[in-house]
Amino acid sequence: MVESSQGFPHIRLRLTTEGRAASPSGGGKNNPITVVNLGNRQGHGSKLKSSVDSLIFEWQETQEEREQEEKPPLKSRRIILEIDPDSFNPDGLKAYGIELIADTEDGYIIGASADLELSELQKKIEKFINEQYGGNRVAEIWEVIDGKKKPELILSPN
């Protein structure tokens, strides 16, 4: 009998020192929007890239305005994403250089990024477009929302 089972003689435990963990059976069902995005890498990737470029440009304009008004520069900026609520893990945003602030059940995320160029997000989008390893999760990011939309409009029920 195994040493650790001595306190529980009524339980038969088998000692295994080597082996592979069994993975859970069955895969999750992909959302149709995510499936379409995977099939249209160029279109979806270009849309996201354009949205990110627009957001960066807006951030740079805001930064210049703050300099002209002699205000201190902002250390981080807000970013709003719409994601696949069924499969995208919001905690995984750190891989994109984005810290999670809030998320909703229907797939909206408010995050913050200290990287005002969103370099990691841009790299992941490029990997997605070029079908490189590590880029498929971008299909689960449905939209980078324009910074002019207020979070209250996105998060409020009406």
Side-chain angles (χ1 to χ4, degrees):
M1 193 143 293
V2 178
E3 290 177 33
S4 63
S5 69
Q6 286 179 354
F8 305 100
H10 60 285
I11 300 175
R12 303 187 109 218
L13 299 174
R14 193 173 51 153
L15 178 63
T16 305
T17 57
E18 292 181 26
R20 298 186 66 161
S23 61
S25 61
K29 201 174 179 186
N30 287 338
N31 189 298
I33 296 172
T34 301
V35 172
V36 168
N37 292 344
L38 273 169
N40 182 18
R41 289 177 180 272
Q42 293 297 320
H44 181 63
S46 296
K47 180 183 95 170
L48 290 179
K49 199 172 183 180
S50 172
S51 296
V52 168
D53 288 344
S54 171
L55 194 59
I56 291 169
F57 180 74
E58 181 185 312
W59 287 355
Q60 288 171 343
E61 283 185 332
T62 303
Q63 210 65 329
E64 289 171 8
E65 287 173 13
R66 291 182 66 83
E67 284 176 17
Q68 290 174 357
E69 295 170 1
E70 297 181 8
K71 293 180 181 176
L74 297 172
K75 304 255 187 241
S76 65
R77 296 303 306 252
R78 178 193 74 207
I79 183 168
I80 302 171
L81 305 169
E82 183 179 8
I83 51 110
D84 183 339
D86 301 324
S87 62
F88 191 87
N89 180 2
D91 294 328
L93 285 173
K94 288 186 181 191
Y96 298 87
I98 300 170
E99 289 291 326
L100 178 66
I101 295 174
D103 64 334
T104 64
E105 291 178 10
D106 55 346
Y108 288 102
I109 289 180
I110 298 176
S113 177
D115 176 9
L116 301 182
E117 297 294 321
L118 295 171
S119 320
E120 289 303 315
L121 179 58
Q122 290 193 50
K123 286 178 193 173
K124 297 280 187 182
I125 292 171
E126 282 300 320
K127 285 182 178 182
F128 174 72
I129 292 171
N130 298 321
E131 297 185 41
Q132 294 175 337
Y133 179 78
N136 280 355
R137 287 266 170 208
V138 172
E140 297 170 358
I141 298 175
W142 294 348
E143 187 177 4
V144 176
I145 298 175
D146 185 350
K148 293 178 182 157
K149 285 187 181 178
K150 297 194 186 239
E152 299 85 52
L153 298 176
I154 294 167
L155 299 177
S156 67
N158 295 332

